[in-house]
Amino acid sequence: MNIFGDLAEIVEPNHAMAPHTWYRLGGPADYFIRPQTVEQLQDVVKRCNDNHIRIHVMGLGSNLLVSDEGVRGAVVKLEGPVFSAVQFDGAQITAWAGAELSKLVLDCVEKGLAGLEILTGIPGSIGGAVKMNAGGRFGDIGSVVDSVTLMDGQGTIFEKSRPELIFDYRCVNIRAPFILNATLTLSPGDPKQIMRTLKENWIYKKNNQPLNTRNCGCVFKNPPEASAGALIDRAGLKGLQIGGAVVSEKHANFIVANEGCTSRDVMRLIESVRKRVREHAGVELQPEIEIWK
Ligand code: EPU
């Protein structure tokens, strides 16, 4: 029996993951599922549960490394009009999980809403950004999130708001597999001033990060009171290469995928960098990116 036989429009079996990731790497998912409504999402979650199919939830693939062998089970991507909608109500915004963060940042600047410009240049979806409390040296998204609508593994929908919602460095206390939407509260400001901050942030990124390469942002979390990039740099690892994967010369916490690179190359380079930083500085780096293997 075909579990998703009547859902051919939203379920693609044996579907290549590489085109869905910024790295352009990774083998096929057993099932690649793009529900178009909340009810369809609940339906596929139920079918996966009934058939013991593991679910992986993805955003826009900008912080994701998928193994060359691909993903066993289902990959669910929330996209389409329902899941990428954004509603503005004065300074309060409800952004659905599949909405693109960088587009939302620009929309807010145009509307004279301050608070998201600190996230300039960070790719990815709202769902992914909330899940890992995306941010950088200027702040993170958690500072403007008031509440989230979540869906658990059984398809039950519920809300979680501050103060139960606690954001920390690149994490938040959300265990439910699906973030459906987030409500953000910004503050009214002068569009020109907000645009200036956005430009400053953008110039900082452009000067410090290998933006025009195939990468997936910073690979490792910054350890407490330290910078992963600086530790890797000080260990002399800029330019270290395994196969088609290379530690960026511009920012050592970026691993760039060159022509012919495989996921295995990136994974081996990650392990090599960890080992050498451990030996050099006695620090155990932890990946910031999501790795599906
Ligand atoms: N540094 C080096 N060598 C390098 C890279 C950095 O010595 O090769 C030094 C810098 O000179 C600086 C310090 O390390 O003194 C920190 O570097 P940077 O300002 O670039 O910030 P970061 O901590 O490495 C964080 C986020 C980035 C975000 C930037 C800017 C993490 C892991 N990274 O980088 O986020 O873009 O701040 O806001 O928190 C990402 O999450 O994917 C990401 C790229």
Side-chain angles (χ1 to χ4, degrees):
M1 189 195 75
N2 186 345
I3 302 158
F4 302 109
D6 54 328
L7 293 176
E9 274 178 21
I10 60 162
V11 180
E12 287 159 274
N14 199 28
H15 183 80
M17 287 294 295
H20 296 283
T21 71
W22 271 44
Y23 257 142
R24 297 280 174 265
L25 297 174
D30 289 343
Y31 300 100
F32 190 72
I33 309 182
R34 287 180 272 201
Q36 296 301 304
T37 63
V38 173
E39 293 71 28
Q40 269 183 350
L41 174 62
Q42 288 171 309
D43 183 10
V44 293
V45 165
K46 183 173 182 316
R47 293 188 200 201
C48 286
N49 281 336
D50 290 348
N51 292 282
H52 310 289
I53 295 172
R54 183 160 173 218
I55 297 174
H56 301 72
V57 187
M58 77 173 291
L60 293 175
S62 53
N63 201 44
L64 175 64
L65 176 62
V66 177
S67 79
D68 298 318
E69 289 71 36
V71 188
R72 302 293 68 84
V75 172
V76 176
K77 186 173 183 187
L78 300 182
E79 59 174 34
V82 168
F83 289 113
S84 51
V86 177
Q87 289 115 19
F88 286 87
D89 179 9
Q92 202 173 60
I93 301 166
T94 301
W96 282 71
E100 200 175 336
L101 177 62
S102 55
K103 186 171 178 306
L104 182 62
V105 169
L106 284 178
D107 288 348
C108 289
V109 174
E110 269 171 24
K111 288 180 189 293
L113 293 173
L116 278 185
E117 66 283 0
I118 51 169
L119 303 177
T120 304
I122 297 183
S125 66
I126 295 295
V130 171
K131 179 84 187 186
M132 65 165 307
N133 191 16
R137 65 190 288 132
F138 306 105
D140 41 48
I141 195 167
S143 59
V144 295
V145 176
D146 278 336
S147 65
V148 289
T149 307
L150 306 172
M151 199 181 102
D152 69 16
Q154 275 63 51
T156 306
I157 295 171
F158 62 102
E159 260 194 40
K160 192 163 179 167
S161 313
R162 289 184 182 280
E164 306 127 81
L165 201 55
I166 300 163
F167 288 91
D168 204 340
Y169 176 67
R170 298 294 167 273
C171 64
V172 59
N173 59 340
I174 292 176
R175 301 284 163 263
F178 293 97
I179 296 172
L180 298 184
N181 62 50
T183 304
L184 321 175
T185 301
L186 304 189
S187 21
D190 170 16
K192 282 198 190 122
Q193 180 56 44
I194 308 169
M195 184 55 91
R196 267 197 294 278
T197 312
L198 180 142
K199 281 187 180 153
E200 276 168 37
N201 291 357
W202 186 249
I203 289 166
Y204 182 85
K205 281 228 164 213
K206 214 165 140 262
N207 289 337
N208 292 288
Q209 298 181 5
L211 295 188
N212 53 352
T213 61
R214 263 164 69 200
N215 67 73
C216 88
C218 284
V219 172
F220 298 102
K221 292 181 187 171
N222 285 335
E225 315 298 328
S227 154
L231 287 167
I232 300 165
D233 193 355
R234 271 190 244 126
L237 304 181
K238 276 186 170 174
L240 182 68
Q241 182 157 3
I242 293 184
V246 61
V247 176
S248 166
E249 294 281 359
K250 198 161 185 183
H251 193 300
N253 200 5
F254 281 67
I255 291 182
V256 173
N258 289 328
E259 198 57 36
C261 186
T262 63
S263 293
R264 190 173 134 79
D265 293 340
V266 180
M267 289 182 199
R268 287 176 60 210
L269 189 53
I270 288 173
E271 283 319 312
S272 178
V273 167
R274 289 183 81 181
K275 179 168 176 284
R276 290 168 76 162
V277 168
R278 191 188 309 129
E279 285 164 3
H280 187 263
V283 176
E284 191 68 49
L285 291 178
Q286 299 300 335
E288 191 224 62
I289 59 172
E290 181 99 4
I291 302 176
W292 290 351
K293 52 183 171 187

